[in-house]
Amino acid sequence: MKKKGMKWSSLLLLILIVAMIATGCSSNSGDNSTNQSSGGTGKKTEILFWSPFSGSDGPFMKKIVDKYNSSQDQYKVDFVIHPNGEYYKQVDIALSSAKDKPSLMIMHVDKVPTYASKNQLQAIDDLAAEAGIAKADFAVAPVEYGTIEDKWYTIPLDIHPLVMYYNKDLFEQAGVTTVPTNRAEFDEAITKLTDASKGVYGYVVPTLWPQQFIFPTLVWQNGGQLWDGNDVGFNSPEVVEVVQYLRNMIEAGTSPANVQQDGENTLFLQGKNAIQFNGPWMKSQFDEAGLNYGVATVPQLGKAGQAVYAGSHGFVVPQGITDEKVVAGVGDFLKYVSSNSMDWAESGQALASIPMIESVEFKALEFQSTIASSFEYVQFSPNVVNWDTISEPIWSELNNALLGNKSVQEAMDDAVNKSHQAMK
């Protein structure tokens, strides 16, 4: 019995050794692209990259990441998409934790001041310098906005300003041969384009979204300010005048009254709204609908000068990402994107990289290059901490003004009072 037991023990030990060797071999060779360089010299440095691109734009960014990963064997970017509506909740959780932080994130440019003020983002000046990335490589507006107290916090990917879509068929039927570029031309065009008997309107004034892009655009064009450095400016004469201008379109009948959420877009898709102001993200929907539409920069409807509100996606690095290899990898990836982002342009976005904008490939994209032509006068939300909270009251009060529930002056005064409460 002793000998037989010793034999079984030896056999069991041999089985365990073989199993351990097999397991070790399996773990080393199971995912070569993730854990080891192609030359077998060691593990790739992994970079966790978060984005909110949960819509149709996600695959375009994934294509860039995949191409980068295939272009070299030193780094591997792990691309993670969080649902757009929940994205900043996830960001808040990650940035307040000591672990599980992404190495790199997409952040809307107007969010940067708030997160930087909480010391949750690190300045990327050194990272950019080491990677050979210069501010001069990008459009001026997002670079200036993302530079706070002489520190650079975000490398821009794109700029998405408000643009004008117009129905070419309706223009032809109404005899409108040129795209309006100022208030007088716009007023004349929408009057010709309106045919109330057919339920067709020259311009449908939205009372809700996308006023978040339209209202600031018109305020700046009219010489007003959302923020004067110390206070909100929603009830200035310049702002009241331009809101009244929108209200006048409704009263004149060139726009229907009581437009509900997305009503202007529904009518545009039905061929009953000749002009719509919206963002570049609408392109795919209009293409899929088979609309015969054109795109142009937003006309100057204000009396002071040209301006247009825009958003921008940029890359930021969370505070606490200090591993030298990871930081170097982030810089290497961002350098790659700055000169290899045509796939992102294909999603309908206008790129912020000047070498990309000036490339033959980008200029051949009529839609995107038209959008980029407004970059010289784009503006973003005021560079104020917690601007979303401060400005929130304007949207319900603007809705009241456009629906005729209050006079324009009363609604704008109420917006200011509510913003003061929010600031407290």
Side-chain angles (χ1 to χ4, degrees):
M1 290 293 294
K2 256 185 189 178
K3 287 183 179 179
K4 198 175 283 188
M6 289 174 64
K7 286 180 180 179
W8 278 111
S9 298
S10 300
L11 181 60
L12 180 61
L13 180 60
L14 181 61
I15 291 171
L16 287 172
I17 292 171
V18 170
M20 290 173 64
I21 293 172
T23 303
C25 290
S26 174
S27 65
N28 285 334
S29 59
D31 185 2
N32 199 45
S33 64
T34 300
N35 296 318
Q36 291 190 343
S37 68
S38 58
T41 57
K43 289 185 178 181
K44 287 186 177 183
T45 299
E46 297 201 9
I47 298 162
L48 181 57
F49 172 32
W50 279 17
S51 92
F53 301 140
S54 55
S56 59
D57 48 4
F60 293 93
M61 179 53 68
K62 185 177 185 303
K63 191 182 293 186
I64 294 174
V65 171
D66 289 346
K67 286 182 178 179
Y68 171 74
N69 285 337
S70 299
S71 72
Q72 45 74 47
D73 61 6
Q74 192 172 359
Y75 308 106
K76 182 178 186 296
V77 176
D78 298 315
F79 182 49
V80 176
I81 297 175
H82 289 283
N84 185 44
E86 300 293 317
Y87 182 64
Y88 286 102
K89 292 180 182 178
Q90 296 298 321
V91 167
D92 289 338
I93 292 170
L95 296 187
S96 63
S97 173
K99 58 180 181 178
D100 300 326
K101 288 183 182 178
S103 318
L104 179 68
M105 297 187 304
I106 290 290
M107 183 168 283
H108 292 81
V109 72
D110 56 1
K111 297 282 189 182
V112 172
T114 298
Y115 282 94
S117 73
K118 294 189 289 187
N119 198 34
Q120 292 181 319
L121 303 179
Q122 59 177 282
I124 45 85
D125 301 84
D126 292 342
L127 178 154
E130 287 291 330
I133 302 171
K135 288 183 176 182
D137 295 333
F138 302 94
V140 173
V143 170
E144 288 187 345
Y145 192 97
T147 302
I148 303 170
E149 296 181 357
D150 296 325
K151 294 180 179 179
W152 192 17
Y153 285 93
T154 177
I155 293 178
L157 170 63
D158 60 42
I159 302 175
H160 36 272
L162 187 71
V163 296
M164 181 171 74
Y165 296 95
Y166 60 95
N167 186 306
K168 291 183 176 181
D169 293 336
L170 292 179
F171 266 57
E172 183 178 354
Q173 293 166 19
V176 179
T177 57
T178 58
V179 178
T181 61
N182 55 47
R183 183 182 286 198
E185 293 173 359
F186 185 81
D187 291 346
E188 181 181 0
I190 63 173
T191 300
K192 288 182 178 179
L193 290 160
T194 299
D195 187 341
S197 65
K198 296 180 180 178
V200 175
Y201 298 93
Y203 174 68
V204 177
V205 177
T207 61
L208 298 165
W209 174 266
Q211 280 295 348
Q212 285 81 350
F213 273 65
I214 298 170
F215 173 73
T217 295
L218 300 187
V219 167
W220 291 323
Q221 288 185 357
N222 216 37
Q225 293 296 327
L226 303 176
W227 180 262
D228 66 5
N230 297 295
D231 198 2
V232 291
F234 303 147
N235 61 349
S236 70
E238 294 84 1
V239 175
V240 170
E241 194 278 336
V242 82
V243 175
Q244 186 63 57
Y245 172 65
L246 292 176
R247 179 68 199 166
N248 290 346
M249 295 182 204
I250 299 170
E251 293 174 351
T254 51
S255 167
N258 304 321
V259 175
Q260 300 303 305
Q261 181 70 60
D262 298 324
E264 78 292 339
N265 190 53
T266 299
L267 290 173
F268 191 77
L269 289 168
Q270 293 173 347
K272 294 183 177 181
N273 176 16
I275 295 174
Q276 182 182 181
F277 298 151
N278 216 312
W281 50 83
M282 300 303 295
K283 179 180 185 296
S284 60
Q285 185 177 6
F286 298 157
D287 288 343
E288 291 169 8
L291 290 178
N292 182 22
Y293 72 93
V295 64
T297 56
V298 175
Q300 184 189 316
L301 302 183
K303 299 179 179 179
Q306 186 57 290
V308 66
Y309 178 85
S312 173
H313 295 115
F315 298 96
V316 297
V317 179
Q319 193 67 260
I321 304 301
T322 57
D323 185 293
E324 292 183 1
K325 290 182 178 179
V326 171
V327 172
V330 168
D332 190 69
F333 173 64
L334 296 182
K335 178 65 174 178
Y336 176 88
V337 173
S338 69
S339 54
N340 293 275
S341 48
M342 280 303 299
D343 285 313
W344 190 243
E346 294 289 348
S347 73
Q349 292 283 1
L351 304 175
S353 165
I354 291 177
M356 290 282 91
I357 294 172
E358 294 178 346
S359 69
V360 174
E361 294 85 354
F362 185 84
K363 289 180 179 179
L365 300 173
E366 181 181 0
F367 179 85
Q368 292 86 335
S369 57
T370 297
I371 294 170
S373 67
S374 66
F375 281 6
E376 62 184 279
Y377 52 81
V378 298
Q379 295 192 49
F380 304 115
S381 295
N383 201 327
V384 177
V385 174
N386 295 321
W387 175 249
D388 285 351
T389 302
I390 294 170
S391 63
E392 182 61 31
I394 186 59
W395 310 121
S396 60
E397 292 303 331
L398 179 62
N399 180 258
N400 282 327
L402 295 176
L403 291 175
N405 296 336
K406 298 179 180 179
S407 72
V408 172
Q409 185 68 62
E410 181 185 6
M412 296 301 99
D413 287 342
D414 287 348
V416 168
N417 292 333
K418 290 178 180 179
S419 286
H420 288 165
Q421 291 300 314
M423 290 164 66
K424 291 178 183 178

